[in-house]
Structure formats: structure tokens, C-alpha cells
Amino acid sequence: MLTIHPEKIYISSANVDMRKSIDGLSAIVEQNFKLNQFSNAMFVFHNRHCDKIKIPYWDKDGFCLLYKRIEHGKFRFLRGITADKYTVTRKNFRGFCTA
């Protein structure tokens, strides 16, 4: 059963190769972000064109990988962030995910 009620939502400030799988994205979470990949958090990764996102999410008994590709427009993420990642609220995240 998939339930998504994350306590935090982290967005990568860097572009990510969309060929990465759960293991590759989880490695970024652990090594670059210094965060626990098994926490109740969503980790959002986007490509260079900001038209694709991947979100690995731990669902208490296994990983889910959410993927979305929009056909027209782009996801609107913050620019000029110097940190590896930043956090947003669920409400703000919905705003990023509208084309």
C-alpha cells in the first residue's frame, strides 16, 4: 500500500541524470545531502530542462519511485540556491509542480 504523507520535502538544487534509479538517487541523499534515505521525507530530483522529476520515497516497507514528465512547460524550481538542497512545504511543492 502506498501512502505519501512526508514530514519534509527536500528539493535538489542541482540537475540530476534521470537515468538514475532508486539506488543512485538514495546514494545522493545519503552522501551529498547527509540525510537518512529511510526518513519520512520526499526527495525531489529534476533534470536540466526541469520537465522531469523523480522522487524516491520510503513507504515503511520499501522504496517507491515517483516519476513525472510534463509535455508542455516546465516545473518551476527556485534558482540560485547555493546549498545542495532546500526544503519546501506541501503547499509550495504543489506550486512548483504546475506547468
Side-chain angles (χ1 to χ4, degrees):
M1 175 60 126
L2 175 65
T3 56
I4 300 177
H5 301 289
E7 291 175 8
K8 292 202 173 202
I9 299 172
Y10 296 96
I11 298 180
S12 173
S13 58
N15 303 325
V16 173
D17 182 352
M18 286 290 115
R19 294 175 291 182
K20 289 193 181 294
S21 65
I22 290 171
D23 294 332
L25 297 173
S26 294
I28 293 172
V29 169
E30 292 276 336
Q31 296 169 7
N32 295 17
F33 297 171
K34 308 290 189 233
L35 294 171
N36 181 0
Q37 62 183 327
F38 302 106
S39 65
N40 185 18
M42 285 177 34
F43 304 97
V44 181
F45 297 93
H46 57 84
N47 66 337
R48 181 170 49 104
H49 300 291
C50 291
D51 62 347
K52 298 176 183 118
I53 58 173
K54 279 191 174 180
I55 305 170
Y57 178 73
W58 177 253
D59 187 34
K60 298 179 184 158
D61 62 354
F63 273 104
C64 301
L65 183 62
L66 306 171
Y67 174 79
K68 183 166 184 176
R69 178 187 75 196
I70 54 178
E71 295 300 318
H72 304 286
K74 296 182 178 204
F75 295 105
R76 292 179 237 148
F77 295 108
L78 298 177
R79 299 282 183 203
I81 305 293
T82 57
D84 290 342
K85 69 191 172 317
Y86 58 96
T87 60
V88 296
T89 65
R90 281 188 227 175
K91 181 180 177 181
N92 287 345
F93 180 65
R94 280 192 298 268
F96 290 135
C97 292
T98 56

